[in-house]
Amino acid sequence: MTTQVAEANTPINPVEPFLRMDRMPHIWCPGCGIGTTVNCFARALTSSGYDLDKVAIVSGIGCTGRVAGYLNLDSFHTTHGRAIPFATGLKLANPELKVVVYSGDGDLIAIGGNHLIHAARRNIDITVVCVNNMLYGMTGGQVGPATPNTAIASTAPYGAFEQPFNLPFLADSCGAVYVARWTSYHVRQMTRAMREAMAKPGFSFIEIVAPCPTLYQRRNRLGDGLDAMKYYKQRSTRKDGASTRDVDIDFQGDIVVGKFIDRERPTFLQAMNHRFTERLGSRYTPYPTGLED
Amino acid sequence: MTTQVAEANTPINPVEPFLRMDRMPHIWCPGCGIGTTVNCFARALTSSGYDLDKVAIVSGIGCTGRVAGYLNLDSFHTTHGRAIPFATGLKLANPELKVVVYSGDGDLIAIGGNHLIHAARRNIDITVVCVNNMLYGMTGGQVGPATPNTAIASTAPYGAFEQPFNLPFLADSCGAVYVARWTSYHVRQMTRAMREAMAKPGFSFIEIVAPCPTLYQRRNRLGDGLDAMKYYKQRSTRKDGASTRDVDIDFQGDIVVGKFIDRERPTFLQAMNHRFTERLGSRYTPYPTGLED
Amino acid sequence: MTVDPKGVLTGHHYLDGDHACCEGALAAGCRFAAGYPITPSTEVVERISARFPMIGGVFIQMEDELASSIAVLGAAWAGKKSMTVTSGPGFSLMMEHIGLAAMTETPVVFVNVQRGGPSTGLPTLPGQADMMQARWGSHGDYEIIALCPNSPQECFDLTIEAFNLSEKYRVPVMFMMDECVGHMTERVIIPKPEELHVVDRKFTSRPPGEYLPYKVYDGWVPEMVKAGDGYRFHITGLTHNEVGYPAMNWQAQEKLVRRLIDKIRKNADEIAMYEEADTEDADVVVLSYGITSRVAMRGVEMARAQGAKVGTLRLIVVWPMPETKIREIAGKVKAIVVPEMNYGQVALEVERLAGGRTQTVLVPHGGGTVHDPEAIARAILEVSR
Amino acid sequence: MTVDPKGVLTGHHYLDGDHACCEGALAAGCRFAAGYPITPSTEVVERISARFPMIGGVFIQMEDELASSIAVLGAAWAGKKSMTVTSGPGFSLMMEHIGLAAMTETPVVFVNVQRGGPSTGLPTLPGQADMMQARWGSHGDYEIIALCPNSPQECFDLTIEAFNLSEKYRVPVMFMMDECVGHMTERVIIPKPEELHVVDRKFTSRPPGEYLPYKVYDGWVPEMVKAGDGYRFHITGLTHNEVGYPAMNWQAQEKLVRRLIDKIRKNADEIAMYEEADTEDADVVVLSYGITSRVAMRGVEMARAQGAKVGTLRLIVVWPMPETKIREIAGKVKAIVVPEMNYGQVALEVERLAGGRTQTVLVPHGGGTVHDPEAIARAILEVSR
Amino acid sequence: MATVELKFGGFGGQGVILAGIIIGKAASLYDNKDATLTQAFGPEARGSACSAQVIVSDDRILYPYVSSPDVLVAMSQDAFTRFSPEVKDDAILVVESELVDTSGVDPAKRVYGIPATRIAEELGRKMVLNIVMVGFFTAVTGVVDREAVRRSVRDSVPPSTINLNLKAFDKGYEYGRKVLAEA
Amino acid sequence: MATVELKFGGFGGQGVILAGIIIGKAASLYDNKDATLTQAFGPEARGSACSAQVIVSDDRILYPYVSSPDVLVAMSQDAFTRFSPEVKDDAILVVESELVDTSGVDPAKRVYGIPATRIAEELGRKMVLNIVMVGFFTAVTGVVDREAVRRSVRDSVPPSTINLNLKAFDKGYEYGRKVLAEA
Amino acid sequence: MSAATQAGAVKKKKKKYQGRIYVDRERCKGCGFCVEFCPFGALELETDYNAKGYHPPFLAHEDKCNGCDLCGLYCPDFAIFSEKIRVED
Amino acid sequence: MSAATQAGAVKKKKKKYQGRIYVDRERCKGCGFCVEFCPFGALELETDYNAKGYHPPFLAHEDKCNGCDLCGLYCPDFAIFSEKIRVED
Ligand SMILES: Cc1ncc(C[n+]2csc(CCOP(=O)(O)OP(=O)(O)O)c2C)c(N)n1
Ligand SMILES: Cc1ncc(C[n+]2csc(CCOP(=O)(O)OP(=O)(O)O)c2C)c(N)n1
Ligand code: SF4
Ligand code: SF4
Ligand code: SF4
Ligand code: SF4
Ligand code: SF4
Ligand code: SF4
Ligand SMILES: [Mg+2]
Ligand SMILES: [Mg+2]
């Protein structure tokens, strides 16, 4: 039979070169969706053909925030909410780097919300992958800015009642040049979106809806990670180019997925070079943007 | 002749009861637009007929942030960027209060951006008046998140190059129930908008474009406050109900003004009461929302 | 003294320190809380979020600690007793608003369940290294009060005390737990409402017009008002005069800030809470606080078993320090041994107060677990020789 | 030692301290700066924003101080020398990232132009009350270096020194100006590039695979790398091992945090910078720093005029304190007089170090203006009697 | 019994800490003893090692941690491997028998095993495996009174699951009696 | 002259501080002296009082503030009212004559006035009133060399406005010479 | 109310309302908003300075003012306002 | 490569590719994603536990696997992957 326990002489998992295998097993719970997204990200890197020495990954704090620590790249596990401004400094100081921010909904949109909207506005040339498990996983399942109404969370024991953000709409309103949403069920589409987003100059944002079986699924009696995946499969509708205004997510409701925004505008550094050149002429030597070829 | 120097026996300015006259003259420069907005706000209060003992005003830090200190209300001059969360605590702890946040673009949208989007999302029942003079006045005219491209500022000596926020779009994307923009030229419309916004349950947001002659006008060789007012008069177009997506402001370009959003949804406290009552039934005594009658 | 019985969960409970702290707050009359999750403090707000709806309180989980630490000030000025809860990284984000609370004399409680630091450090393991930060972490000069419980029972009792002190002195009070105490579960006895001592906010009885928000009519502390009562007062974080208006000069600064500091420093002996034992004829006194005071006792017993004459001084209120008491002890022992879960914080102040009249011996520990009691015993034995 | 001549504005200038600080940074090789406006520090970044485009640097005005204080860490890990600039309220918001910088050993300079506090306080007037915050303001235990210039010329010279120390010890360095120095304009002489002493970042020479980011190969400080060079390193604010991976136990904590502290404390004498004068046969030594050291000189002269034998010790590096030097002085004078623009911060440490062997006399001042020199003279005369 | 030190170990999701709380509460509220529980968990709670320590004593408990347990309850191999070297010489080892291999243990030690996971799965919810362990522990160690523990179980689980949990407790307890009887 | 203390006062927008800087720079860079300038401004810079203090000395300057000025340059009534009580007995008072009422001043004091605002308005930009004052100050006090100040003006204003400012300086200077001559 | 004011107020006009203007000269910062946005061009700036060096407005064309108080609404310094007074016609 | 594996791989089938599956039993947390989303239903979970108490998958229907590696892409624990091998037909 073809099932085989990994041994010294078996081929290695193709994602292993992208991971810090000396840190496995990772901390994520059984059926947690984060691992699947990382798996896809590793494959997006494979197929993108980037020099991995020039790809840096930045996370904040959270279950998803641990991603940076597992990827075999220059990787930064920063403070809660501040991955984007750290990434901004990193990118601006060395534009040759491809910089990806990989973090959770709480990290990026609760405490980090301000940085998200400003980086999008400035069109900082980074890719943000937001794993939206609809609560704060790491700290034990508190309600967050993406928790749907009526869902139970540890600080919303009688059900959440604040309207959650519509993340694509928010990113859109601030000028992100690439905005997409997928779920952890959509492994191939997500992989492609990650590749596209990294290739896109400017601020790209991918929301990935993913299960937190330990806290979200369990507290809401929604079964385990697999049940979540089945729900995503069943209730997701792909609508590329949908108006971001219309893609809210309700508790166990339909999920609109797809690529919503893909537009062109100068990155922060391109705009800076343009401005300074226009104003200072030859007194100004254009700064590298990472987009020269 | 009817011109008269104020004397003991002359009638007092009708706005004086709304102001802390013992603090006049205020600190604002000649031709600064902030004073005009305050003038309108005082009149909005007059005509609204609220019990002024129950109106509280909260400002952050900035030239506009000084507004709280000049209004003869319970008034709070807090920290830079944090007027909204202070107001949130104030309102939730005593919903009987009508709470208005009055501050500048830097305060509310740069350092305070996260609080703005979250309060809008939660539909906290407060009114936010944002005086947008397109830079940081108090600290000497630095570039800010509303500075139009190419405008000169003290930290953008060669002209701003970051795309500014489209504030109504941002507030809209987070769910604000009332969103309007006026300029300091539109004194009657602004006064009415303030009255409407205060009457509206939930998170209302009014952007008021106003001149900073000392820093913005002067550095950009745009004349003085009066020149700005003339520009507003000339280049503003009223488009009530305009799609917020389309109301960007360019350097000295057209300004779309009007009431863009006016929608209904439960306030934070209404949603809370609804949720808890649904879940806890008679074990829960509804909390006052300030909207009972 | 009015205790709202709705908040008092009278009875015997098996609670961890975090949950006991929540019950203490409820019993003290706290009816507004704003928080942001962070290990190992989150259980406090988790319990609050479940308990408040039943007793008329409002809890809001804000978008970050900046927001939660100022929302509680807003609530205080609306007349509610309020508190926020966090741990190291969140505490660092609250520093600006601790200063605002101190400057505006807003009664409010900040709970910090200390974990290993600096930075993200050891999120799930104990530390006591935020003690100096609690005192000095915001810019400018100010004073606060800081308490350290050493058991879930004290998490209940002293949370009430924290609220009482914040009302009495109109000062932000730091409730400095640690992960060990916060996650330690023991029996907690909650008395009947009428057996509790709860200090009410001292609202002014002067009518609007005859009242100035920052005038001290009596003692050290101005009388308070709340929004909505017709006083039309103004509050600012700027240096202000008695009216509450900004006053941009050194004279106003000297008058205001000096008083903010003196109202605590000059009342240090009155604010002081400590447990002193066996110090009369001791050669060595072990000074400790929080969980370390319990761990130290084992070290003390070990040392006693080897003949050392050891007394103990356990600080319950750590800031302000009981200077008189420490000076007194310094005058009569060979050494003060200070075990703390950091590399020397409170020990520095002890050493200063000792003024060379006795030796101050720090027994440092980086946190992550509590001290090895033997290390404490060794330190005692070394100096008692 | 490589000085990029593009950054060096050689010549005689009439500059205020803020502008001089900017020139110092440029001369030190700083090529990334992130800031957020705040009085009285904004002029530093205003000048940077004008100067950087000409010399290949990038300045970004971030959305707040949280962002600016971590953007500079990102830039540092991309290999650039970087700095951020703020004043009290903004400094309070940077505390978490000072801890992150300390924990990750990121060389970076934090400039704080001190104003009157606490809270919004006196935005346009001087203070020196963020000194303890500079040392203790972030949660957990860590050490930093803090310098205090007393003239625009020193704002230039010592900014370079701040960068040098941050590189040498891989530590965040606090450049603690005050409003008076920052807004004081005087002649500033900028030497030729080749006359400057600039310390380069010590990048490892070991190839990937043979290098561990937090292994100390030599001395106290690990060798650094930057992103993009193939090392595939990991950086975290969690307690970490030599590889840089999280290590959640007290042993890792003790090993790491102890070293972070010791690399500064044990090198305090080497890091120390001070100006000592006339202490040999002094009865009293006046210890001061920053602008107060200049004000104090007038007080000293007044006291001398009345016959007092006064020496002076001016701290340039305030943290870590030159413990050896202060102990030595404490051993030979009747009193150490410490004027500072606060209600006692650095004086507490001086008193501790004096250990009762001499009297420590604080001459406090709330800020808003500098001391009245007569107050200092009076204090000197009182103790020299 | 002056003082008994207990250690419960397993991995995240097994309900290790709740097991400890139930025992501690039983002793502290219903069995006239003092009981201090401390817990060690981490981000590792997300699937890796976690543990609870309970000191049960007739006197006031000061030092809160357990250094060498009188009883180790191990619900995973990992916990067993890590904690079994620390136990007292005469310690009792209580293990999940399908997850923990105890073959290398000093034969002098008392080792009691129960396939708690499988029993819980049979009861319809794998999640109650910790309560099965608690019942088993109560039977084989006798550290805390059976009725006190049963009451504590009832007190500590969500109301809707009380019956299931009491059943799990009883299953574990009975299994324990049987094992003891067979020993 | 060992040390001369100068104070410049006015309200925000008048360019008070730049006036001080021009004098200080002239002394420090072009006139072989040491010169320390400190400034006092506030949110009050937004239209209310602000001031600059300059100490010019042949020796190293330590204490940076001016306590009793040798020269007060007052561009507003407010500044004059606030600062004139502090000046030395033999101080020189230099004022904007249309904005400052000096009628109550001790007749022993030397008071020189110039309608700088009006002169500036006549030059086409009210903003250069501070440079008019600088020229006037230079003429009536002689504290700093005329050429040094002129060079300093050139150095301190935006390149496109150099000519206008030099004209303003000269106007003020000439007016000063005239006033002195008439006195 | 001074006699001068009353004299102005009773001037006969063909409109029903007439304005009375109050200016706090020292509070005025001469921004000119009131002058510019008076719908009837009733105001002008003085050539005199106030103490701060600004030119305050005055009612140059009293017949044109109808007391609409738009000047009062625009004034950022609360330095001007008007009263509407009924005039018999 | 073990003989067992090769034996499986050479089984004659009507398709061009066949899959070879590698499972790291101890790393698996039994989430079932691989089993559920295998487009051909080739996998099943063991009844045995691994050391952590989870049931890892195995290739229950080796004839159904075409080596598409979707199981590998879904696995959150990097515990399974497949190789596609060409099969002569
Ligand atoms: C300043 C600060 N506040 C709070 C925390 C605690 N904290 C750690 S992770 C986290 C939330 C994580 O939620 P999310 O970003 O959604 O990630 P997830 O764990 O759900 O993947 C919080 C609040 C912290 N580390 N720092
Ligand atoms: C934490 C903090 N950072 C910075 C500042 C300095 N500061 C005061 S006001 C201000 C900006 C004001 O801009 P805006 O809100 O647009 O108000 P304006 O003055 O333009 O009306 C800044 C940055 C501060 N007080 N606190
Ligand atoms: S707690 Fe939730 S988000 Fe975190 S690892 Fe577990 S399942 Fe994933
Ligand atoms: S600086 Fe600008 S915003 Fe501030 S008061 Fe002056 S004109 Fe107004
Ligand atoms: S009241 Fe109306 S008409 Fe009269 S001056 Fe004012 S704006 Fe003009
Ligand atoms: S609007 Fe007010 S400040 Fe402006 S000119 Fe008229 S009266 Fe003066
Ligand atoms: S490789 Fe494809 S066909 Fe084979 S088991 Fe995996 S998912 Fe199924
Ligand atoms: S997807 Fe991975 S972890 Fe899940 S059952 Fe399959 S092999 Fe195991
Ligand atoms: Mg999440
Ligand atoms: Mg502004």
Side-chain angles (χ1 to χ4, degrees), chain G residues 18-73:
Chain G
Q18 186 164 340
R20 190 177 285 160
I21 297 296
Y22 300 88
V23 176
D24 186 334
R25 280 189 87 247
E26 293 311 314
R27 208 185 283 156
C28 167
K29 294 187 189 142
C31 69
F33 291 4
C34 54
V35 175
E36 176 74 20
F37 298 116
C38 167
F40 306 105
L43 302 171
E44 284 181 19
L45 294 184
E46 296 180 17
T47 46
D48 283 2
Y49 293 111
N50 66 8
K52 286 218 168 133
Y54 302 117
H55 306 285
F58 70 104
L59 187 57
H61 314 281
E62 53 191 64
D63 53 325
K64 292 185 176 169
C65 173
N66 74 347
C68 69
D69 198 32
L70 211 59
C71 49
L73 193 50

Side-chain angles (χ1 to χ4, degrees), chain B residues 27-29 63 66 137-138 140 218, chain F residues 13 43-47 127 160:
Chain B
I27 62 160
W28 298 311
C29 305
C63 291
R66 289 303 189 97
M138 179 61 95
R218 185 161 68 175
Chain F
E44 288 71 21
R46 321 263 158 273
M127 267 181 58
S160 62

